[in-house]
Amino acid sequence: MANKIVRASFFKRDPLTCARELIGTELIWDDCSGIVVEVEAYAAINDEAAHTFTRPSARSFIERNHAGAAYVYFNYGMHWMLNVLVKGDENGFVLIRALEPRKGMGKMKKRRGLDDVRRLCSGPGKLTQALGITGRDHEMDLCADRQHCFARNTSTPMDVVADTRIGITRSAHYPWRFTLRGSEFVSRAVKLERGAPAMPPHEKARRSSPLH
């Protein structure tokens, strides 16, 4: 059965739902691909770890782009990071953190300069290097081109584990990192195991208001 492209409607919901359901999809990039085994969700409102909290450029990006657009930035002057825009019930981003390599491993090994398949895409900077993703891919529509998209060939739910996000100091307590249970391709072993994600910060604030 041919893989079905994950269309823009998928990303017209909220970051937590999209992040969880991206686990198990296949990220296709030219002649390389990998199964998504780790992601992180970032909310556009009241999430101090999100770029939208401090960067006007990130807020402008949301305004001018459609759901499913690639948000690619250079992290610490060292690594490109691939995110996908969620723009629907709640706006935000999903950071793609790790893949299980599937196609084009020879090219990925050459780009990464190593042979260990488990380490090819076991981190957000590693997977962009392996796939050849750079700033030129910023704002690309990831829902229209079969050569640059997420795809799925099964409707079977994945066994997803929620854990705290990595490498941040603000809003670090939210369990918004999602991994495929038992995967040996994730960037870091899971510390927490929770059945459901925490309430989004803006929703939590709304419910604590005297008006609700």
Side-chain angles (χ1 to χ4, degrees):
M1 182 183 298
N3 286 356
K4 295 182 179 180
I5 290 181
V6 174
R7 299 294 183 182
S9 58
F10 176 95
F11 298 104
K12 293 179 180 179
R13 298 181 291 169
D14 67 88
L16 298 184
T17 300
C18 292
R20 289 185 72 98
E21 294 187 13
L22 273 177
I23 297 296
T25 62
E26 184 175 7
L27 175 58
I28 299 171
W29 210 269
D30 294 321
D31 53 355
C32 298
S33 75
I35 302 300
V36 178
V37 296
E38 180 183 353
V39 298
E40 286 179 346
Y42 289 86
I45 298 176
N46 294 334
D47 180 358
E48 294 186 37
H51 279 189
T52 48
F53 196 82
T54 56
R55 299 188 187 185
S57 60
R59 297 191 289 270
S60 297
F61 175 91
I62 293 178
E63 291 179 3
R64 69 174 179 269
N65 282 280
H66 297 295
Y71 178 67
V72 183
Y73 65 89
F74 206 43
N75 196 43
Y76 299 117
M78 298 175 62
H79 307 293
W80 293 105
M81 313 285 270
L82 173 65
N83 301 256
V84 58
L85 172 62
V86 177
K87 191 175 183 180
D89 297 336
E90 298 159 15
N91 297 341
F93 299 96
V94 177
L95 169 65
I96 311 304
R97 283 199 55 91
L99 306 174
E100 178 181 339
R102 281 294 173 90
K103 299 177 182 177
M105 278 188 272
K107 183 171 288 188
M108 287 192 276
K109 288 178 179 180
K110 184 176 181 180
R111 286 171 175 157
R112 291 276 292 119
L114 54 81
D115 291 321
D116 188 346
V117 175
R118 288 178 298 180
R119 294 172 55 204
L120 286 180
C121 301
S122 59
K126 295 177 183 179
L127 71 87
T128 53
Q129 182 182 29
L131 298 179
I133 297 172
T134 68
R136 69 175 180 272
D137 302 308
H138 185 59
E139 300 196 58
M140 178 185 290
D141 185 351
L142 300 181
C143 302
D145 178 8
R146 288 190 174 275
Q147 292 301 108
H148 304 91
C149 68
F150 296 92
R152 65 170 76 250
N153 61 7
T154 178
S155 59
T156 304
M158 297 291 107
D159 190 357
V160 179
V161 178
D163 192 17
T164 51
R165 294 177 295 188
I166 295 173
I168 59 174
T169 55
R170 297 178 176 180
S171 298
H173 59 290
Y174 295 126
W176 291 359
R177 172 189 177 224
F178 301 99
T179 60
L180 180 63
R181 189 184 300 276
S183 174
E184 59 183 351
F185 295 90
V186 298
S187 65
R188 187 182 299 178
V190 172
K191 294 181 180 179
L192 303 176
E193 293 197 6
R194 305 190 181 187
M199 186 184 298
H202 57 285
E203 178 68 10
K204 185 175 182 179
R206 184 184 71 83
R207 294 191 182 183
S208 63
S209 168
L211 298 177
H212 295 86

